[in-house]
Amino acid sequence: MTDWKTDGVKVIPGDQLDTNTPQTPGMDRAAAINFARVGAQKIWAGTVSIRPDAKTGAHHHGALESVIYVLKGKARMRWGDNLEFVAEAGPGDFIFVPPYVPHQEINASTDETLECVLVRSDNEAVVVNLDIEPVEKPEHVAWVDPIHKAATD
């Protein structure tokens, strides 16, 4: 018999997120939902704060789907074979990134931190870096989270 008290719904207070996630200067990651915290098998969810003007290199996430919900700031997404398409999102907007789509994430503000909620369709960390010349050059600070791992030299 299932013990719904311990194996049922779990509430993770916003001030009790797990910051023991990959970090990069200018960015702060915190996991809310993952296997270790709640036993999640098929999703990962957490928060991300990205410093002003941070940009990633071109990449995709294999078969994973991603949803980004913008809490504060302005997100710019570039995608396509040559990152030729662009869209921006602000507070209250959702961004959906389908599997295998080449893309680049950008904090479109030069002076405001971008704060988002990030949800992935799997706990598996998949990132495929692409050799595409980005329209907006990446900075020293990568967008690092459980999927975008920090580069090691």
Side-chain angles (χ1 to χ4, degrees):
M1 179 184 233
T2 301
D3 180 357
W4 291 122
K5 182 173 182 174
T6 58
D7 296 328
V9 173
K10 293 179 176 51
V11 174
I12 293 73
D15 63 354
Q16 295 179 19
L17 303 186
D18 183 5
T19 57
N20 186 23
T21 62
Q23 301 293 334
T24 296
M27 310 171 92
D28 297 306
R29 302 283 178 281
I33 308 298
N34 61 17
F35 180 76
R37 299 210 67 203
V38 300
Q41 301 286 319
K42 299 178 182 177
I43 61 170
W44 181 97
T47 61
V48 60
S49 296
I50 302 98
R51 76 163 177 81
D53 215 27
K55 302 169 181 70
T56 68
H59 62 280
H60 69 71
H61 300 290
L64 298 184
E65 295 177 323
S66 300
V67 174
I68 301 166
Y69 177 74
V70 180
L71 295 169
K72 177 183 171 191
K74 184 189 267 188
R76 180 179 304 128
M77 298 294 290
R78 288 193 165 276
W79 73 94
D81 289 330
N82 296 300
L83 304 177
E84 66 270 31
F85 304 107
V86 64
E88 291 190 352
D93 293 340
F94 286 85
I95 301 166
F96 174 65
V97 182
Y100 301 102
V101 173
H103 64 282
Q104 176 186 34
E105 294 105 335
I106 299 158
N107 181 342
S109 173
T110 58
D111 60 0
E112 183 179 21
T113 299
L114 174 60
E115 296 179 11
C116 302
V117 172
L118 174 63
V119 179
R120 303 272 188 215
S121 62
D122 198 325
N123 276 318
E124 185 180 356
V126 175
V127 62
V128 178
N129 292 315
L130 302 170
D131 189 17
I132 295 173
E133 185 66 27
V135 176
E136 297 189 44
K137 303 287 186 221
E139 303 226 338
H140 303 322
V141 178
W143 181 312
V144 178
D145 58 38
I147 301 299
H148 304 85
K149 299 296 183 182
T152 54
D153 294 319

